[in-house]
Amino acid sequence: MEAKKQLKHLIIYCNPNPKSLSAAYKEAVMELTEMSGNAMNVRDLYNIGFHPVLEQSDFDAVKHGQIPEEVKVEQGYIQWADLLTFIYPIWWTGMPALMKGYIDRVFTKGFAYNMDEEGQLQGLLAGKKVVILNNMGFPYDYYDKIGMLQSMKQTSDQGIFEFCGIEVAEHRFFGHLDGSSKSEREAHVNVLKLIYDKLLS
């Protein structure tokens, strides 16, 4: 009988608070990955000190095929992975500046996407899947009612990941965290098991 191929899971985490729900997500997802027997790497953007500001030197480097070493390292991790998990809070209806800067600098033209001679988009990261886990202070129903959840999904799921050829397997928003109880927070984390049981099997 042929052995199961080991899946490679990259977790990209962005929250400065070690006691945040984002941190609880990270720990739960790491544990689920370890239990599944699959390979895992974790990139904690605050801890690794990733420089998030996209500068002219980055554009010049990409143009001449001289990718900055810290960007090349992160691209190596992404290239390695079959499954990506992005964990970050929603701040001002979007991702934290550090996470956005990571996308800006790492998902470069020629690595994450390209345009052919006829101007057709080529997603260069096809074959990979992504899960996005977001926690936010406002109630889920409030953002859902005004269409903000759909807007955030469109800008991240379509505007970033699908643009680069990555399949969005799941995008979960957990809301009203400022007023949530301990049991509600635990229930949020328990949802992760349902998501990853399928993806990591």
Side-chain angles (χ1 to χ4, degrees), residues 18-32:
K19 296 181 179 180
S20 66
L21 194 59
S22 294
Y25 295 164
K26 175 173 68 75
E27 294 303 318
V29 173
M30 288 173 63
E31 183 177 350
L32 289 168

Side-chain angles (χ1 to χ4, degrees), residues 90-107:
I90 296 297
W91 292 345
W92 287 106
T93 68
M95 58 182 65
L98 178 52
M99 180 62 86
K100 181 58 167 61
Y102 182 90
I103 298 292
D104 287 346
R105 296 194 68 210
V106 175
F107 282 53

